[in-house]
Amino acid sequence: RYLALARHLEGARIVHAAEIDPWFTRGAARLRRRMGFRLVATVWETIPFLGAYRAARGRRYRAETMGAIDLFLATTERARQCLLLEGAPPERIRVHPPGVDREAFAGGAAGARGERLIVSPGRLVWEKGHQDVMRALAALERGLVRGPAGEWISARLLVIGSGPEEARLRRYAADLGLDGRVELRRTIPYSEMPAVYARAACVVLASLPTRFWEEQFGMVLAEALAAGVPVAAAASGAIPEVVGADATLFRPGDWMGLARALATGPLAAAPDARSGPPDPARVQRYSTAAAAERLAAVYAELLG
């Protein structure tokens, strides 16, 4: 629980929480009527668990929050559809994607990409699929998959993130014979990420769905689109909606499909002519400026 939450919310006209079943949203929901503020919840969740598939505590908290939330801000259309199945009134749902600093990432993309570098950013957990990216790289290194003219393709992989799978991923890279071809970096300052994207031939998000989670947005996708770097991503969760036609999609877990996508696209000597800069409207939609305008409009609606 929050300590002395009512004291901290004193005088607030709007309280903004996240999701429908965690303790922090429930804490605000229990005070809403007594304190008179309006309650907003950003919702990323894309799987409608309802009561049957939630843990007992989440089931109880969801029952307390659903009726207390004035506006649900679904980060994707998929999250909106999830909310509808959860029983949220359609008139209280707005699709409200997040934003990234478009100018910062576009500025970082000004440098030349002189190497075949694959960047796989994300927590080092099984469901982020870094192991599949390594498998795809091994397929390229061993010639199981080649370029359009039959050329042998060699590349490097940079995995950025920390988490419980780090030791296993390091062992796996060695098992696959990728010593010297794979680098794992636990942390890179966020201010340096535009420069990382600028060096990349491709950004990969190889997410795998689990029983209780699927990729809900993928902020690295918005960053890569803003940087103008080619993207290959698993068609999992909200990913197809987020990237639209501006990325190459492959089936979750299909590491050979990923290897083929890389070999005929961003790693090829002459990449597929269909791959060009991302849709400017999509890049703008996922900018901090556009997200701020959407949020200001939502708050004005509530206060009005």
Side-chain angles (χ1 to χ4, degrees), residues 112-269:
R113 296 184 175 94
E115 58 180 336
R116 287 172 168 166
L117 175 65
I118 304 165
V119 175
S120 182
R123 293 174 296 120
L124 302 189
V125 291
W126 179 88
E127 58 267 28
K128 285 296 183 178
H130 298 295
Q131 63 277 6
D132 281 340
V133 188
M134 291 184 182
R135 291 164 183 153
L137 178 61
L140 294 171
E141 291 291 323
R142 298 186 188 185
L144 302 180
V145 175
R146 302 196 183 193
E151 69 271 26
W152 205 294
I153 292 179
S154 183
R156 291 197 312 109
L157 171 62
L158 173 61
V159 178
I160 305 171
S162 61
E165 286 287 295
E166 179 179 351
R168 191 193 307 271
L169 287 169
R170 291 186 184 279
R171 292 198 306 270
Y172 197 52
D175 289 347
L176 289 169
L178 296 175
D179 290 321
R181 311 304 302 171
V182 175
E183 178 185 1
L184 274 75
R185 293 276 300 275
R186 291 182 181 177
T187 58
I188 291 180
Y190 193 67
S191 61
E192 296 178 16
M193 285 302 295
V196 173
Y197 287 129
R199 290 168 42 216
C202 183
V203 170
V204 178
L205 184 58
S207 291
L208 298 162
T210 71
R211 183 179 177 186
F212 295 110
W213 180 87
E214 61 183 13
E215 195 66 61
Q216 298 169 339
F217 187 90
M219 292 298 289
V220 297
L221 299 173
E223 295 167 0
L225 292 175
V229 59
V231 174
S236 175
I239 289 177
E241 175 188 341
V242 171
V243 297
D246 290 321
T248 300
L249 297 176
F250 57 93
R251 288 184 297 106
D254 183 10
W255 48 271
M256 283 293 284
L258 171 58
R260 288 189 291 269
L262 294 172
T264 58
L267 300 186

Side-chain angles (χ1 to χ4, degrees), residues 2-176:
Y2 284 122
L3 299 179
L5 180 60
R7 176 168 57 84
H8 291 291
L9 299 185
E10 189 69 43
R13 297 182 65 189
I14 295 174
V15 173
H16 198 144
E19 304 296 6
I20 61 176
D21 69 351
W23 58 270
F24 42 83
T25 304
R26 180 245 201 170
R30 298 181 76 179
L31 293 171
R32 173 188 169 276
R33 180 171 296 179
R34 172 163 66 88
M35 300 189 70
F37 55 74
R38 311 300 296 277
L39 182 58
V40 180
T42 293
V43 178
W44 301 77
E45 193 171 83
T46 55
I47 302 175
F49 296 113
L50 287 91
Y53 281 93
R54 291 186 195 275
R57 183 172 296 175
R59 191 159 57 241
R60 186 170 72 253
Y61 291 175
R62 171 188 174 275
E64 294 185 51
T65 61
M66 288 294 289
I69 296 172
D70 294 286
L71 274 181
F72 300 84
L73 303 187
T75 57
T76 60
E77 174 62 24
R78 189 176 180 91
R80 187 187 76 87
Q81 294 165 350
C82 175
L83 280 168
L84 290 173
L85 288 185
E86 289 280 0
E91 67 273 13
R92 285 199 271 148
I93 306 173
R94 307 286 184 273
V95 177
H96 189 283
V100 300
D101 189 338
R102 183 183 66 167
E103 288 73 21
F105 284 97
R113 296 184 175 94
E115 58 180 336
R116 287 172 168 166
L117 175 65
I118 304 165
V119 175
S120 182
R123 293 174 296 120
L124 302 189
V125 291
W126 179 88
E127 58 267 28
K128 285 296 183 178
H130 298 295
Q131 63 277 6
D132 281 340
V133 188
M134 291 184 182
R135 291 164 183 153
L137 178 61
L140 294 171
E141 291 291 323
R142 298 186 188 185
L144 302 180
V145 175
R146 302 196 183 193
E151 69 271 26
W152 205 294
I153 292 179
S154 183
R156 291 197 312 109
L157 171 62
L158 173 61
V159 178
I160 305 171
S162 61
E165 286 287 295
E166 179 179 351
R168 191 193 307 271
L169 287 169
R170 291 186 184 279
R171 292 198 306 270
Y172 197 52
D175 289 347
L176 289 169

